[in-house]
Amino acid sequence: MKRAENIIVGISIGDLNGIGGEIVLKTFEDARILEFCTPVIFASVKTMGFFKKQFKSQIVFNGINDLNQLVYGKVNVLNCWNDVVNINFGKNDVKIGAYAVKSLQRATKALKDEQIDVLVTAPINKHNIQSDAFKFPGHTDYLAEQLEGESLMFMVADSLRVGLLTDHVPVKDVVEHISSELIEIKIDIVYKSLQRDFNIRKPKIAVLGINPHTGDNGVIGNEDDVVMRPTLKNIKESGKLVFGPYAADSFFGSNNYKNFDAVIASYHDQGLIPFKTLSFGQGVNFTAGLNRVRTSPDHGTAYEIAGKGVADESSFKEAVFAAIQIFKNRVDNEKLMANPLKKTQRKI
């Protein structure tokens, strides 16, 4: 693990026809952010120059062809291609998807090689990135293959943190994916992430039920009684503060979520609809459980407003700050675990 100063933030540029370029520019137009990190945008000076002109940005880029040329305190752009890219805002284009993949792959390699400290990914289009060479439904699945560890989509916004047992799984297949083993794995990832990434020593975790009203004693499905409850009981007996299953329909509206350090939902919309309702524009998608730090904004490419200069960069900026803080927390945690009994000695 590296030092916790002058953190190098790698940025994959995402779908060039979406709002990625705009929100990246807007984020780093505030030069104060360069006091916390040194950004490296994985794209090309030509491409970023197009965005700069389109959105009338005053940013001065430091173009580089190798990460050894990086200049701290500047907005660096690593040339990942030399092409003049034909950008058509709002258009779903497989050629543009190929550039998004190229940016992601180059940034991920730099992350693996520790040439950058953290990765923040601008939004991609999950359809146009597909090819014979890249068959992943999104960032999380690709990074899970490339990096060490078990990945988990962890949505965070201040004290609100929502993890998922299953993420990009069709609703009709959710029950088939949920097992005692999966529940144990995901809870363990969340528990360790809360300790390592958020400095919470004894986390309290709530788990939402699979079925409406957690099955109503078997009337609306028996998965909560047969799978969920026994598994949570075993986990709690091991010493973890894990509670549930809770009925999802009233859990957030009653503010019960405020009593916990994290909430684990059974499937995508069960967790993300309330999360985005409560925090939209400020939320961050953090891939927990991996040996490297990756975050992203909590929204997509927003084709409908792309190129108009009206995109809100708040979530992307939060993703940058979250990545920096999580990296620092990991550095501190590593030092703590390396010297668990170390005490400060006073001179007498």
Side-chain angles (χ1 to χ4, degrees):
M1 183 67 72
K2 294 185 180 180
R3 71 287 175 278
E5 303 86 29
N6 240 323
I7 293 172
I8 304 172
V9 178
I11 298 163
S12 60
I13 196 60
D15 191 304
L16 299 173
N17 285 350
I19 63 171
E22 180 183 351
I23 59 177
V24 169
L25 286 182
K26 287 181 174 179
T27 294
F28 294 105
E29 277 175 352
D30 185 348
R32 291 175 299 179
I33 199 171
L34 300 180
E35 298 174 9
F36 301 95
C37 68
T38 294
V40 183
I41 303 169
F42 289 77
S44 78
V45 172
K46 292 177 183 177
T47 300
M48 295 311 298
F50 170 84
F51 288 132
K52 179 178 175 178
K53 182 178 180 180
Q54 173 73 21
F55 301 112
K56 298 179 173 60
S57 173
Q58 300 302 309
I59 286 182
V60 177
F61 296 120
N62 177 52
I64 59 177
N65 295 311
D66 189 288
L67 285 169
N68 292 324
Q69 300 171 329
L70 176 145
V71 176
Y72 286 95
K74 299 291 184 181
V75 180
N76 298 270
V77 178
L78 180 71
N79 288 306
C80 298
W81 54 79
N82 294 315
D83 315 348
V84 176
V85 183
N86 185 24
I87 296 173
N88 293 295
F89 291 113
K91 182 179 179 182
N92 183 356
D93 186 341
V94 293
K95 292 181 180 179
I96 292 296
Y99 286 109
V101 170
K102 188 175 292 188
S103 173
L104 175 62
Q105 290 176 328
R106 189 75 178 272
T108 302
K109 184 178 187 305
L111 187 67
K112 290 170 66 176
D113 295 342
E114 296 190 6
Q115 292 179 299
I116 60 176
D117 297 317
V118 300
L119 173 61
V120 182
T121 58
I124 56 174
N125 181 305
K126 291 180 174 61
H127 174 74
N128 67 31
I129 59 171
Q130 302 302 317
S131 68
D132 291 338
F134 192 92
K135 297 180 179 180
F136 299 92
H139 287 116
T140 303
D141 302 272
Y142 173 71
L143 292 168
E145 180 187 88
Q146 292 294 311
L147 303 174
E148 297 174 8
E150 288 275 356
S151 68
L152 175 135
M153 183 187 291
F154 207 9
M155 307 299 293
V156 299
D158 294 325
S159 60
L160 174 61
R161 305 177 188 92
V162 178
L164 303 176
L165 289 181
T166 63
D167 41 54
H168 296 128
V169 174
V171 173
K172 65 182 179 63
D173 299 330
V174 166
V175 170
E176 296 176 10
H177 282 75
I178 295 178
S179 63
S180 293
E181 181 182 13
L182 178 72
I183 295 168
E184 290 173 355
I185 289 171
K186 296 297 185 180
I187 288 178
D188 189 57
I189 294 172
V190 169
Y191 192 87
K192 289 178 179 177
S193 179
L194 290 170
Q195 292 181 318
R196 181 189 186 194
D197 302 325
F198 299 94
N199 281 340
I200 301 171
R201 291 299 101 197
K202 195 67 175 177
K204 288 178 61 180
I205 300 172
V207 182
L208 303 183
I210 302 169
N211 296 300
H213 309 297
T214 64
D216 265 347
N217 296 314
V219 176
I220 317 175
N222 64 1
E223 290 81 8
D224 290 286
D225 292 329
V226 174
V227 179
M228 184 70 80
R229 284 191 172 86
T231 305
L232 296 185
K233 182 175 182 291
N234 289 337
I235 294 172
K236 193 170 184 179
E237 288 175 351
S238 74
K240 291 185 174 72
L241 300 179
V242 178
F243 304 88
Y246 292 97
D249 60 346
S250 60
F251 185 81
F252 290 93
S254 65
N255 287 330
N256 197 11
Y257 71 93
K258 294 181 179 179
N259 297 316
F260 300 92
D261 298 304
V263 181
I264 299 179
S266 291
Y267 55 93
H268 187 279
D269 283 11
Q270 185 191 64
L272 267 62
I273 287 175
F275 176 85
K276 292 188 177 184
T277 300
L278 291 167
S279 67
F280 196 77
Q282 303 297 320
V284 173
N285 180 359
F286 165 49
T287 307
L290 300 180
N291 66 331
R292 299 285 186 269
V293 178
R294 174 262 173 167
T295 62
S296 72
D298 67 354
H299 57 72
T301 55
Y303 282 156
E304 66 278 7
I305 61 170
K308 297 179 181 179
V310 298
D312 185 348
E313 75 278 13
S314 299
S315 183
F316 188 86
K317 185 177 290 186
E318 290 294 329
V320 172
F321 282 118
I324 293 170
Q325 188 59 56
I326 290 169
F327 182 84
K328 288 182 176 181
N329 288 345
R330 287 192 177 188
V331 171
D332 291 342
N333 186 73
E334 188 173 271
K335 290 178 181 177
L336 179 66
M337 298 308 293
N339 301 286
L341 299 178
K342 186 177 181 180
K343 297 180 181 179
T344 302
Q345 294 182 349
R346 294 184 300 170
K347 291 182 179 181
I348 299 176

